Amino acid sequence: MSQQSLRERLAILADAAKYDASCASSGTARRTSRGGKGIGSTEGMGICHAYAPDGRCISLLKILLTNHCIFDCHYCINRKSSNVARARFTPQEVVDLTLTFYRRNYIEGLFLSSGIVKSSSHTMEQLIEVARILREEHDFRGYIHLKTIPEADPELVRRAGLHADRVSINVELPTLAGLTRLAPDKNAAVIEGAMGDLKGAIVEAKDARRRFRSAPRFAPAGQSTQMIVGADGASDADIVTRASTLYDRFALRRVYYSAFSPIPDASAVLPLQRPPLIREHRLYQSDWLMRFYGYRPDEVRAAAGLDGMLPLDIDPKLAWALKFREGFPVDINRAPRELLLRVPGLGTRAVGAILAARRERRLRLEDVGRLTVSLAKVRPFIVAEDWRPVLLTDRADLRALIAPRRGAQQLELFAA
Amino acid sequence: MNAQPAPDLAEACAVTLDAPDDFAGWRETARRLLQLRVPPDRVVWSVAGEEAGDLFAASAFVPDAPTDAAPPRVPRRFLDLAGKGLLHSCPDRFALLYRLLWRLQDRPGLLEDAADRDVRSLDELVRTVRRDIHKMRAFLRFRAVSEEDGAEHYVAWFEPQHHILRASAAFFVNRFTTMRWAILTPQGSLHWDGEVLREGPPARREQAAGGDPAEALWKEYYAAIFNPARLKVGAMLKEMPRRYWKNMPEAELIPALIAGAQARESAMVERGAALFVGPRPASLAAVAEGIATCRRCAIGCNGTRAVAGEGSARAELMIVGEQPGDTEEPRGRPFIGPAGQVLRTRLKAAGIDPERAWLTNAVKHFKFEDRGTGKRRLHQNPTAREIDVCRWWVESERLLVRPRLILALGASAARSVLGRTVSVQSLRGKAMVLEDGAELWITIHPSYLLRLGEDARETEEQRFAADLGRAAARLRELAPGV
């Protein structure tokens, strides 16, 4: 085989990594490079250094150490039987690339993953070596996210957390049946076991630091996971259920949803058509409802249709409100925070502003208009000093009145 | 407040601040104005060196406040917000801040009223400035240049929208402490030598050197991490507006990436067709000849023998399987292995004579896993791409035979006929009308039955028989002679 240049390998190994959705670089401990030998800092909030035309942020150098793989997962472009170009980096090459990009302010840090070569533990050791060189030899204080390999020796998985800000293990598919069918080499029990180990290590390290300031940090930005949407038959309700269980059981920071996208040289078992991107967006919205708006998983499921799918033309919060209209209208001047958060069109920011402002005076509809993006959406669901939606809430065509006119298409354009 | 009467100021009071981000100056002056009880509509604010706000302002100075005047009190939060809002480039910002300060004296809770017009305006200013600071941290790009002493020096050119240069310095110092760098902007420049931060005069774009070999690598990365299957230009533009593009090396790739994206996705689906040029084969014999030498996919190149379709050239029924197997390949005939036997038996049971149908496969060569000499070759599923390449041959057979009914066995066969992957389980046992009027019936591949355990096998065999029965009945309707 001819020698591939660094550029060629970068292209191959970045291309192979792009199906990982996460690019977050937030939520870790604050650090600066002052008083150190190297470079790097982390703020509470991550920085997106560029955006690609797919609308996704580029915050980290997201690459694989190698895309050679002994596994044969159908949805994965790097599976053993896939006919893609293969390449590998040495740990030192990844370190150099990371520092070269970081110095020019292209990235916040590194997100490193890998195909499985030789064995899971061998691969994991290589990943850890990259992080170790960056931290120990270069005193790099930027962000590091390591994808850990559930089948690797648990001791290695623990070592990863000592260098990395975030560790993650992908659950891959929302259903057990999907995993068995599409990822024959993976085992749900092993994946969950490893996630459980990580949770234990994170909790333990937090506890130790509470007592001894010198205790080492362990993955201060916690752990996350990813599942692929649209490759198996799981409905939105299934996915929401699965996600909430994962949040509960493993104290995850985030569950990422990745709409299955047709990959070159796909296995014939897979659908070639992608699910609508808006579906992924609706799942993130329902995820938000559970994490920041106080909805229980069964309430989010109730927003879905009989087939278990969330509507694509309206967001899940509006769908819920239209279904459970008896809880509305909500009095903007009296209702507690929990109820205000249920009003379609009021985000956490707007609710905070309303709570602060109404301590000063009673709010009129016009005031609410200044605090929200779309008064038309909010109006049918609230009571203000000078406003009462007498008939609106009961109208059968309410959905048509407030649903965005051009439907899902338009929303997709502005989706985050 | 103190009962001291306001001094007799002229029509308006003009204040000139030292710099557009001179918060300390604004704060000091505003405190004095407040103590003198000068109402907001009597003050005209401007910045030294910029166009004066009101040329006819009479008074050019603010007298000292009476020494016994009580210092005005404001919430700590106001100072934080004002410090940020003042960095905005809007010329009215000083007046807005003073008006809020004035109103706060009577309404200490005013800032909580987010629906108030002035509070809202301040909030807007602060948000815009924060965003500008954030975008500077995000989109500023350093370029490495070698100094005479051989050390690396990093230079960036950036054009902020607001007066945020000084406010941004700490971030870059904290992040790149051990590097030597300079940030040049039209408002001024910052120079860090590893220990001391120096401010310099406004700069021009040309002063930031061009060309850093790392940019080629970065562009390679940017193009590769982009997923052409999901184009969301609006989402990109919302977060990375065009005005930032000219100083970001990767941005010059964007138009080409967008243009290529849709083409790339559809190419992924239809890649097969482009490999074939010239007219389609004129006879089934020509198809057989063509596939024998076809090397358009990896399976074609594995040294196995191609297996052509066989049966009646004028068949009303065409049966498509997946690919030849371990038995079929050496003998060059389709459906003679174990699965083929099951099929032939079941067809006869359903009243279909296999000899009068056209029997063929979605893929013409045998794809297998080589486990060494002497071992049986283990069947491997063809990939979607391999099926798509071979579609050209299957389509050619269809055009020549012109069957009324096509029976596709399994997912690979269905894909071969339809050009897309469908769910066999949900479509089996019913007709799909194809473009040329022929009907497609989908069922499982008989090899599936061979892999099942005793219990499941019985049920599945019945379902398979039922599928065949329905297809056979339909075939008799379409072509009563069969």
Side-chain angles (χ1 to χ4, degrees):
Chain A
M1 202 174 72
S2 65
Q3 200 68 40
Q4 294 160 315
S5 72
L6 184 70
R7 250 180 92 167
E8 285 166 332
R9 287 180 292 147
L10 177 63
I12 293 172
L13 293 168
D15 188 87
K18 71 181 163 206
Y19 301 98
D20 252 313
S22 164
C23 200
S25 54
S26 51
T28 191
R30 280 169 189 268
R31 296 186 294 260
T32 76
S33 50
R34 293 229 173 192
K37 294 187 282 113
I39 50 168
S41 63
T42 48
E43 308 265 316
M45 187 165 57
I47 299 174
C48 296
H49 283 277
Y51 288 81
D54 54 18
R56 296 195 300 180
C57 125
I58 299 174
S59 176
L60 304 170
L61 169 63
K62 185 159 56 173
I63 47 173
L64 300 190
L65 192 56
T66 173
N67 65 341
H68 289 276
C69 193
I70 55 175
F71 282 9
D72 205 14
C73 310
H74 289 287
Y75 51 83
C76 179
I77 186 175
N78 304 313
R79 68 184 188 285
K80 185 174 59 173
S81 60
S82 167
N83 185 27
V84 293
R86 307 280 174 173
R88 67 171 34 158
F89 282 131
T90 63
Q92 188 61 49
E93 282 172 329
V94 175
V95 167
D96 293 342
L97 261 178
T98 308
L99 293 174
T100 302
F101 284 0
Y102 198 92
R103 283 194 195 103
R104 286 157 181 82
N105 203 37
Y106 298 161
I107 52 170
E108 286 292 284
L110 174 69
F111 178 173
L112 188 63
S113 178
S114 182
I116 316 280
V117 278
K118 288 191 194 164
S119 70
S120 299
S121 291
H122 170 81
T123 311
M124 196 66 228
E125 269 173 12
Q126 299 280 303
L127 293 180
I128 295 170
E129 180 61 6
V130 173
R132 189 200 63 78
I133 301 176
L134 277 172
R135 292 283 195 236
E136 291 181 359
E137 293 178 19
H138 297 275
D139 194 14
F140 175 68
R141 299 183 185 178
Y143 194 93
I144 298 180
H145 179 162
L146 287 184
K147 177 117 312 186
T148 49
I149 298 161
E151 294 81 8
D153 184 342
E155 182 47 40
L156 290 173
V157 178
R158 293 180 69 97
R159 253 171 57 198
L162 293 179
H163 297 302
D165 291 282
R166 172 166 289 181
V167 283
S168 63
I169 297 174
N170 287 356
V171 294
E172 310 291 5
L173 292 156
T175 62
L176 194 61
L179 190 73
T180 319
R181 190 166 67 92
L182 298 177
D185 301 304
K186 299 213 176 187
N187 179 319
V190 173
I191 293 175
E192 295 197 350
M195 288 169 86
D197 287 350
L198 276 179
K199 179 194 172 190
I202 291 169
V203 171
E204 205 175 285
K206 274 220 182 90
D207 189 52
R209 271 187 75 84
R210 233 172 266 138
R211 281 178 242 180
F212 314 104
R213 279 196 57 95
S214 58
R217 283 186 191 276
F218 186 94
Q223 69 166 322
S224 63
T225 192
Q226 166 175 316
M227 56 177 111
I228 294 163
V229 175
D232 63 357
S235 69
D236 291 344
D238 296 336
I239 293 170
V240 166
T241 309
R242 178 84 170 120
S244 72
T245 329
L246 289 170
Y247 278 122
D248 290 349
R249 284 175 59 202
F250 304 114
L252 296 180
R253 285 290 181 90
R254 279 294 293 276
V255 173
Y256 289 93
Y257 307 97
S258 172
F260 165 73
S261 54
I263 49 177
D265 212 33
S267 157
V269 181
L270 283 178
L272 197 77
Q273 289 295 314
R274 63 186 191 191
L277 284 183
I278 191 76
R279 184 176 171 201
E280 184 186 293
H281 183 58
R282 295 288 178 239
L283 283 168
Y284 276 119
Q285 287 178 322
S286 65
D287 199 273
W288 248 246
L289 291 185
M290 292 193 289
R291 289 162 59 214
F292 305 118
Y293 289 80
Y295 285 72
R296 295 190 313 271
D298 57 303
E299 290 177 311
V300 176
R301 280 199 296 272
L306 289 175
D307 55 354
M309 302 302 271
L310 294 166
L312 293 180
D313 59 337
I314 54 172
D315 64 77
K317 192 172 163 188
L318 178 56
W320 188 87
L322 287 172
K323 225 167 165 176
F324 301 98
R325 289 188 204 180
E326 61 276 15
F328 296 96
V330 163
D331 188 339
I332 256 358
N333 285 303
R334 288 160 190 237
R337 195 181 131 82
E338 308 86 79
L339 287 186
L340 288 177
L341 282 172
R342 301 239 160 180
V343 175
L346 291 187
T348 46
R349 238 183 94 89
V351 168
I354 288 172
L355 290 175
R358 76 186 189 187
R359 278 196 283 274
E360 289 297 306
R361 60 196 170 82
R362 294 185 63 77
L363 300 178
R364 309 170 72 82
L365 192 62
E366 173 200 25
D367 296 321
V368 179
R370 277 198 281 270
L371 299 174
T372 61
V373 183
S374 158
L375 194 56
K377 194 173 175 187
V378 178
R379 211 163 43 182
F381 299 99
I382 59 166
V383 169
E385 181 69 4
D386 59 342
W387 167 259
R388 191 162 276 280
V390 192
L391 288 171
L392 264 175
T393 330
D394 296 326
R395 280 179 69 150
D397 57 350
L398 182 56
R399 176 179 171 134
L401 279 178
I402 48 186
R405 278 241 174 91
R406 268 179 294 163
Q409 256 345 82
Q410 188 193 355
L411 276 171
E412 184 164 340
L413 195 63
F414 296 103
Chain B
M1 255 179 98
N2 198 290
Q4 180 90 20
D8 185 23
L9 291 174
E11 273 299 291
C13 182
V15 180
T16 305
L17 296 171
D18 290 345
D21 60 349
D22 180 14
F23 180 61
W26 175 86
R27 188 178 170 180
E28 177 50 40
T29 315
R31 181 194 290 136
R32 257 189 293 151
L33 288 169
L34 203 59
Q35 285 173 325
L36 291 165
R37 301 178 62 199
V38 182
D41 56 2
R42 300 262 306 270
V43 190
V44 178
W45 300 83
S46 64
V47 176
E50 289 179 10
E51 284 292 305
D54 185 349
L55 290 173
F56 302 103
S59 168
F61 76 105
V62 181
D64 284 334
T67 45
D68 55 345
R73 299 188 62 83
V74 285
R76 169 83 228 165
R77 189 159 154 257
F78 174 75
L79 290 179
D80 292 342
L81 292 173
K84 275 265 156 31
L86 186 126
L87 304 179
H88 200 283
S89 55
C90 160
D92 302 336
R93 62 193 184 279
F94 306 113
L96 169 73
L97 293 175
Y98 183 59
R99 193 161 63 243
L100 272 165
L101 184 64
W102 178 269
R103 291 181 60 202
L104 271 166
Q105 304 310 307
D106 296 329
R107 254 186 91 185
L110 176 63
L111 285 183
E112 301 308 314
D113 185 359
D116 179 89
R117 232 169 261 281
D118 286 339
V119 175
R120 189 99 196 114
S121 301
L122 174 60
D123 196 47
E124 274 305 312
L125 292 189
V126 171
R127 256 202 294 176
T128 313
V129 166
R130 285 214 176 108
R131 183 174 155 97
D132 201 33
I133 291 176
H134 188 76
K135 293 302 180 193
M136 177 167 179
R137 293 173 179 184
F139 299 149
L140 177 140
R141 297 285 182 261
F142 280 117
R143 280 173 163 163
V145 285
S146 287
E147 295 287 276
E148 287 102 50
D149 57 5
E152 281 217 311
H153 186 215
Y154 292 84
V155 181
W157 166 253
F158 192 77
E159 294 161 60
Q161 299 255 291
H162 303 284
H163 305 285
I164 57 165
L165 182 63
R166 278 192 198 100
S168 301
F171 171 83
F172 291 100
V173 168
N174 285 340
R175 174 157 289 197
F176 303 109
T177 314
T178 55
M179 276 164 40
R180 293 169 57 200
W181 51 259
I183 295 174
L184 311 179
T185 80
Q187 302 165 5
S189 51
L190 295 174
H191 302 266
W192 174 256
D193 64 0
E195 278 162 22
V196 180
L197 185 71
R198 227 163 23 79
E199 281 183 24
R204 287 184 326 269
R205 191 163 194 231
E206 306 85 76
Q207 289 171 272
D212 179 340
E215 288 181 358
L217 273 177
W218 172 242
K219 285 197 259 185
E220 192 78 51
Y221 175 73
Y222 182 79
I225 202 72
F226 160 58
N227 185 352
R230 28 184 309 160
L231 205 55
K232 280 192 188 176
V233 180
M236 171 186 68
L237 284 172
K238 190 171 158 231
E239 294 299 336
M240 194 171 80
R242 273 178 220 278
R243 64 171 178 271
Y244 294 108
W245 292 14
K246 62 178 184 289
N247 296 321
M248 301 170 74
E250 65 273 28
E252 67 183 52
L253 302 176
I254 294 172
L257 290 178
I258 295 174
Q262 270 130 356
R264 262 169 78 183
E265 191 185 5
S266 51
M268 221 140 73
V269 180
E270 293 180 12
R271 187 143 41 169
L275 291 167
F276 294 86
V277 282
R280 290 191 175 267
S283 66
L284 291 167
V287 172
E289 216 169 276
I291 60 171
T293 54
C294 181
R295 301 287 178 264
R296 290 176 182 85
C297 78
I299 320 181
C301 305
N302 69 3
T304 58
R305 172 180 181 182
V307 176
E310 69 171 40
S312 163
R314 288 215 289 283
E316 304 285 4
L317 169 67
M318 174 162 152
I319 299 176
V320 186
E322 188 187 58
Q323 60 171 347
D326 194 43
T327 322
E328 284 93 355
E329 190 264 327
R331 292 167 58 189
R333 291 189 55 204
F335 294 105
I336 55 168
Q341 297 303 334
V342 173
L343 176 71
R344 286 169 193 268
T345 319
R346 290 287 162 196
L347 282 176
K348 282 178 192 147
I352 296 174
D353 178 2
E355 309 300 322
R356 297 186 61 185
W358 182 256
L359 299 173
T360 193
N361 281 306
V363 173
K364 307 302 184 193
H365 284 83
F366 175 33
K367 183 177 182 181
F368 61 90
E369 190 185 335
D370 197 353
R371 298 181 302 164
T373 43
K375 294 217 176 112
R376 203 172 71 86
R377 298 173 298 177
L378 208 60
H379 162 275
Q380 269 190 321
N381 291 332
T383 64
R385 164 143 202 243
E386 287 154 355
I387 296 168
D388 293 345
V389 173
C390 225
R391 264 190 92 194
W392 199 78
W393 297 117
V394 181
E395 279 173 357
S396 300
E397 289 176 276
R398 233 178 96 191
L399 289 169
L400 291 162
V401 178
R402 301 210 151 276
R404 298 278 192 91
L405 195 148
I406 300 174
L407 181 64
L409 307 173
S412 298
R415 187 186 170 96
S416 171
V417 178
L418 292 169
R420 62 192 158 90
T421 298
V422 292
S423 157
V424 171
Q425 290 305 339
S426 55
L427 293 178
R428 66 187 293 178
K430 51 192 174 204
M432 290 174 82
V433 180
L434 300 171
E435 275 172 36
D436 63 353
E439 280 187 12
L440 170 68
W441 288 66
I442 300 175
T443 182
I444 51 133
H445 194 279
S447 65
Y448 171 61
L449 299 173
L450 300 175
R451 294 197 300 269
L452 288 174
E454 202 84 350
D455 305 342
R457 184 165 175 176
E458 198 171 314
T459 341
E460 284 303 320
E461 277 190 348
Q462 278 167 12
R463 293 184 68 194
F464 184 52
D467 287 351
L468 291 188
R470 270 194 288 272
R474 181 62 183 150
L475 180 64
R476 281 190 288 275
E477 281 172 34
L478 289 171
V482 178

